[in-house]
Amino acid sequence: MLELFAAIAKLALYVGSFAGAGVAFASMSLGRRLGRSAEVAPKLIAMAAVVMLAAAIAGAAILIARLGGQVDTTTLSAIWETPAGPAIAFQLAGATLLLMSAHAKGSMLAFQLGGGVVALASFGLNGHSASISELTGAIAFLHVCAASWWLGSLLLLREAGRVLPEPDLASLVRRFSMFAIVIVGGLVAGGAFLTLTLVNFGRSEWLTPYAQALSMKIVLAVAVLGIAVWNKFLITPRIAAADGKGAQQLSQSIGIELGLFASVFVATAWLTTFNSPHA
Ligand code: HEM
């Protein structure tokens, strides 16, 4: 039962940290072209930070319950000595920074970016990848940063599809696509590297329960990529042509992409809670 609660807390942690950090990263990279759609960013960041804080506290409580349920110095120092302790500290610090800087402007935006980086660094400190080497931990960190930017951009683009006139939306989508080619390419390359590191393809029975769960996650991630390619080649030209339907189609397809993103999070929370690559 505790394992199930741990998976649910992890899912909430993914949603909160990826959305909060991602909207901060995307606001910075898409800049002024977001126009009025940028007005939704502070609310999104604050909501996501609250979800992340709650998830980090729940994760810590579950860990304490697993260790016998006593909140004393022995339990706390046992947690601190494993990578889970510093990871929880990073999650709490990142979420607090994001919450406090949600409405930041100008040079104070550095705190928002810092909050996002600190929050996501927790995934490079703790987890299957981090347990192998510092390099694989760093790649996992970059992998989640890229996925987070993508999620944050989608949340802002959906709002842009609602409030921006089509010529402004076309210019925003062009800027997003320019970054997306590099960042999503990096996400896939990082994911492929982690897959090759975590799955022992040299073993005759390499399709372990871990590899099966990972395959499910990759299939869902490839479906998100498929929708992104559809957007790029079929919907973006319609927005540029300003035929009146492009913005609506973009919002619909982003809705599907966000649903698939949620399913990738569910699959990953399951994968990282119930399966071990070393089993
Ligand atoms: C929509 C795209 C994607 C999203 C949102 C996503 C998200 C994530 C998240 C949240 C983690 C877990 C971090 C942790 O808890 O330590 C992760 C790890 C990982 N991802 Fe992705 N990912 C995506 C695409 C991919 C792709 C395309 C691949 C493979 C080619 C991939 C392979 C991996 C691997 C192997 C791990 C490590 C799993 C483990 O720790 O056991 N990911 N990803």
Side-chain angles (χ1 to χ4, degrees):
M1 196 63 179
L2 271 182
E3 292 291 290
L4 184 61
F5 285 137
I8 294 170
K10 196 171 247 186
L11 175 61
L13 185 70
Y14 289 158
V15 173
S17 55
F18 279 53
V23 170
F25 296 165
S27 300
M28 183 63 78
S29 55
L30 301 176
R32 277 198 225 128
R33 295 199 202 181
L34 283 167
R36 277 180 49 216
S37 58
E39 288 168 15
V40 78
K43 194 170 136 199
L44 285 175
I45 293 175
M47 276 171 18
V50 170
V51 171
M52 192 185 171
L53 267 181
I57 292 168
I62 292 166
L63 203 53
I64 291 172
R66 273 182 182 158
L67 294 173
Q70 301 286 341
V71 187
D72 52 24
T73 45
T74 317
T75 311
L76 295 180
S77 61
I79 293 178
W80 188 251
E81 276 159 25
T82 67
I88 292 169
F90 271 61
Q91 288 154 15
L92 294 173
T96 308
L97 260 178
L98 280 171
L99 189 58
M100 286 169 55
S101 62
H103 292 269
K105 289 197 169 66
S107 60
M108 299 306 277
L109 283 169
F111 287 99
Q112 216 177 70
L113 279 185
V117 170
V118 170
L120 297 180
S122 65
F123 298 108
L125 288 176
N126 186 27
H128 295 147
S129 310
S131 71
I132 293 182
S133 71
E134 281 169 12
L135 173 69
T136 43
I139 305 270
F141 166 64
L142 293 175
H143 180 74
V144 296
C145 283
S148 163
W149 174 85
W150 191 5
L151 176 64
S153 299
L154 290 180
L155 292 170
L156 294 176
L157 280 174
R158 195 172 56 155
E159 176 68 5
R162 228 173 43 81
V163 300
L164 292 188
E166 273 186 314
D168 293 354
L169 183 61
S171 144
L172 174 64
V173 170
R174 268 200 302 277
R175 189 168 172 86
F176 163 75
S177 301
M178 202 179 77
F179 281 108
I181 289 170
V182 177
I183 295 178
V184 177
L187 166 87
V188 174
F193 176 88
L194 294 176
T195 304
L196 291 173
T197 311
L198 291 164
V199 179
N200 184 355
F201 289 102
R203 215 165 93 171
S204 56
E205 286 169 17
W206 64 269
L207 199 58
T208 57
Y210 174 82
Q212 289 171 20
L214 178 61
S215 309
M216 175 54 79
K217 176 221 153 121
I218 294 175
V219 166
L220 290 166
V222 167
V224 191
L225 285 166
I227 304 279
V229 172
W230 166 273
N231 280 349
K232 167 107 184 95
F233 291 105
L234 285 147
I235 301 185
T236 306
R238 297 199 79 157
I239 299 172
D243 67 358
K245 291 205 178 119
Q248 197 192 346
Q249 286 185 345
L250 181 71
S251 293
Q252 283 168 353
S253 89
I254 288 180
I256 299 172
E257 250 182 293
L258 290 174
L260 284 168
F261 245 94
S263 66
V264 174
F265 284 155
V266 172
T268 312
W270 182 274
L271 165 76
T272 53
T273 308
F274 294 105
N275 297 277
S276 166
H278 315 297

